[in-house]
């Protein structure tokens, strides 16, 4: 079987850390070209833009997008219009409207699209989802705290409009939570703490609920220099489920559970391969909607300026 010829746009941190290793390890894909504005990718043809890749580069069947969310919409639109399958890093776009338009265009074009909510593929998520399916939910506490200087060094885009600030990692927690829970969530209130020299928050407290008044709370912190914390604790009538390390670890009533051995991005690309084979798409908008609603209803507090 011929491999899926893959182009990649935006050869930055996540492309180097995760995407290229996952693509290289999956024989169903062959990375044949990269379009990027930073350092080139070794071993493949490099182009300065998607336009140039599509016009002058080798034939590709699919394109992975690892650019910042601002400006990504036009790029993905161009790939869809060219009949390419698309894998789009999170958050899919800078706005909910753009993401909705991409979902419609992928359907109209009859190509496969994947909004790669990578945290949904963490090793403990499916076992957690199976356990929760027969339990009585009481409350959810999300704590998602990391150091932006470690994960986004020098990335000014994250503090600009459309860059989401702390919701850039925080949306991962929302993508897991919305995948685990049976009913859609909505935002009741939010407090956004925005550095005086930034356009997006460095910390946020969010209160969410669902149609059955489930109490869901989230604390996001992007300036959390010491022990990073990526945890979701779900209290049920029958016991307490806890995901730690971004979903890599699962415990129930304090007892560690067996989890998958597959890494997040290996699973993302295996899913993308399956969608292409099934002529299907997976373009969930709920995590981005919760972020948009947090910005809609969130109170703002100005905090000290951020310096990288
Ligand atoms: N940094 C991290 O730990 C993670 C980041 N992500 C997501 O991946 C996306 C990218 O993040 P990073 O890799 O950290 O950012 P980055 O700033 O390191 O990389 C972005 C890359 O896109 C390139 N680029 C920008 N505009 C372009 C254009 N029009 N055409 C071609 N290339 C263009 C830049 O030259 C740069 O190489 C974001 O949406 C982020 O949320 C996802 C998981 C983890
Ligand atoms: O998607 C993302 O993951 C984090 C980090 O890589 C691990 O939590 C990063 O801030 C965000 O872009």
């Amino acid at each position: 079987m011929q491999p899926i010829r893959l182009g990649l746009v935006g050869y930055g941190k996540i492309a180097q850390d995760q995407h290229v290793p996952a693509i290289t390890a999956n024989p169903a894909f062959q990375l044949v070209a990269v379009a990027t504005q930073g350092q080139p990718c070794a071993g493949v043809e490099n182009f300065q833009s998607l336009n140039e890749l599509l016009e002058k580069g080798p034939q590709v069947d699919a394109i992975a997008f690892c650019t910042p969310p601002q400006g990504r919409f036009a790029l993905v639109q161009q790939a869809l219009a060219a009949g390419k399958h698309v894998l789009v890093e999170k958050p899919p776009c800078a706005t909910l409207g753009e993401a909705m338009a991409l979902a419609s265009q992928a359907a109209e074009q009859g190509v496969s699209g994947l909004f790669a909510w990578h945290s949904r593929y963490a090793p403990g998520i499916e076992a957690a989802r199976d356990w929760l399916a027969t339990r009585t939910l009481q409350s959810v506490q999300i704590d998602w705290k990391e150091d932006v200087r470690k994960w986004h060094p020098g990335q000014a885009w994250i503090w600009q409009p459309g860059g989401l600030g702390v919701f850039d990692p925080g949306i991962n927690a929302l993508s897991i939570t919305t995948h685990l829970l049976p009913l859609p969530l909505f935002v009741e209130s939010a407090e956004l703490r925005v550095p005086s020299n930034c356009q997006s928050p460095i910390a946020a407290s969010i209160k969410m609920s669902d149609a059955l008044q489930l109490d869901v709370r989230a604390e996001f912190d992007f300036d959390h220099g010491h022990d990073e914390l990526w945890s979701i604790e779900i209290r049920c009538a029958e016991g307490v489920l806890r995901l730690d390390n971004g979903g890599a670890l699962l415990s129930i009533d304090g007892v560690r559970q067996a989890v998958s051995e597959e890494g997040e991005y290996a699973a993302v690309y295996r899913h993308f391969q399956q969608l292409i084979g099934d002529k299907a798409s997976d373009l969930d908008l709920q995590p981005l909607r919760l972020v948009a609603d947090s910005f809609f209803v969130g109170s703002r507090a100005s905090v000290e300026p951020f310096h990288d």
Side-chain angles (χ1 to χ4, degrees):
M1 178 123 170
Q2 283 298 320
I4 298 163
R5 295 163 298 185
L6 190 66
L8 184 143
V9 182
Y11 185 63
K13 185 175 187 330
I14 198 58
Q16 295 171 40
D17 288 357
Q18 298 289 348
H19 284 261
V20 171
I23 295 163
T24 306
N26 184 335
F29 290 96
Q30 183 189 2
L31 184 64
V32 296
V34 164
T36 193
Q37 294 174 348
Q39 75 174 65
C41 174
V44 298
E45 290 190 65
N46 284 264
F47 301 89
Q48 287 298 309
S49 70
L50 173 61
N51 216 38
E52 193 188 1
L53 186 159
L54 290 173
E55 284 185 357
K56 301 176 183 170
Q59 182 61 30
V60 296
D61 307 301
I63 299 176
F65 289 88
C66 301
T67 56
Q70 300 99 325
R72 192 188 289 161
F73 174 62
L75 297 171
V76 181
Q77 266 194 315
Q78 186 178 4
L80 289 171
K84 309 303 179 186
H85 306 297
V86 296
L87 181 154
V88 186
E89 252 298 353
K90 43 59 60 182
C93 291
T95 70
L96 188 57
E98 290 178 341
M100 293 165 71
L102 290 184
S104 303
Q105 189 181 354
E108 287 155 18
Q109 287 287 127
V111 294
S112 292
L114 173 61
F115 288 163
W117 301 112
H118 63 82
S119 294
R120 283 182 173 176
Y121 303 80
I125 303 304
E126 287 314 307
R129 199 165 190 239
D130 292 345
W131 188 85
L132 288 167
T134 57
R135 267 57 186 196
T136 311
L137 301 172
Q138 291 177 331
S139 66
V140 180
Q141 176 63 42
I142 302 165
D143 289 289
W144 221 257
K145 304 182 177 183
E146 65 178 56
D147 184 354
V148 63
R149 294 173 184 83
K150 172 179 177 183
W151 297 101
H152 298 272
Q155 296 180 13
W157 60 263
I158 213 157
W159 301 114
Q160 289 156 8
L164 297 188
V166 73
F167 283 91
D168 182 86
I171 205 169
N172 293 332
L174 298 175
S175 72
I176 293 174
T177 307
T178 53
H179 185 60
L180 294 178
L181 300 182
L183 297 176
L185 292 180
F186 50 84
V187 175
E188 292 185 323
S189 63
E191 292 169 24
L192 312 180
R193 295 180 279 285
V194 183
S196 55
N197 61 342
C198 295
Q199 298 297 317
S200 47
I202 196 166
S205 303
I206 308 136
K207 187 174 182 313
M208 294 168 274
S209 189
D210 67 8
L212 298 180
Q213 289 83 42
L214 181 66
D215 182 24
V216 181
R217 308 214 180 204
E219 291 298 327
F220 296 160
D221 184 359
F222 223 359
D223 197 14
H224 196 72
H226 41 290
D227 299 341
E228 294 165 324
L229 180 61
W230 299 295
S231 71
I232 299 173
E233 186 165 281
I234 303 180
R235 294 190 168 278
C236 303
E238 303 84 351
V240 178
L241 177 142
R242 185 177 170 91
L243 286 162
D244 283 293
N245 201 13
L249 303 176
L250 169 63
S251 58
I252 293 168
D253 293 334
V255 178
R256 185 68 62 79
Q257 305 294 308
V259 296
S260 160
E261 293 187 0
E262 186 177 33
E264 283 184 15
Y265 279 85
V268 166
Y269 275 89
R270 183 170 49 77
H271 185 39
F272 188 40
Q273 171 194 347
Q274 195 170 5
L275 289 171
I276 292 172
D278 297 346
K279 300 187 187 317
S281 285
D282 179 358
L283 299 164
D284 183 19
L285 295 168
Q286 193 178 181
L288 189 61
R289 177 178 59 73
L290 290 172
V291 173
D293 289 350
S294 297
F295 277 69
F296 266 135
V297 299
S299 62
R300 267 78 167 167
S302 182
V303 297
E304 62 275 8
F306 171 78
H307 300 295
D308 212 335

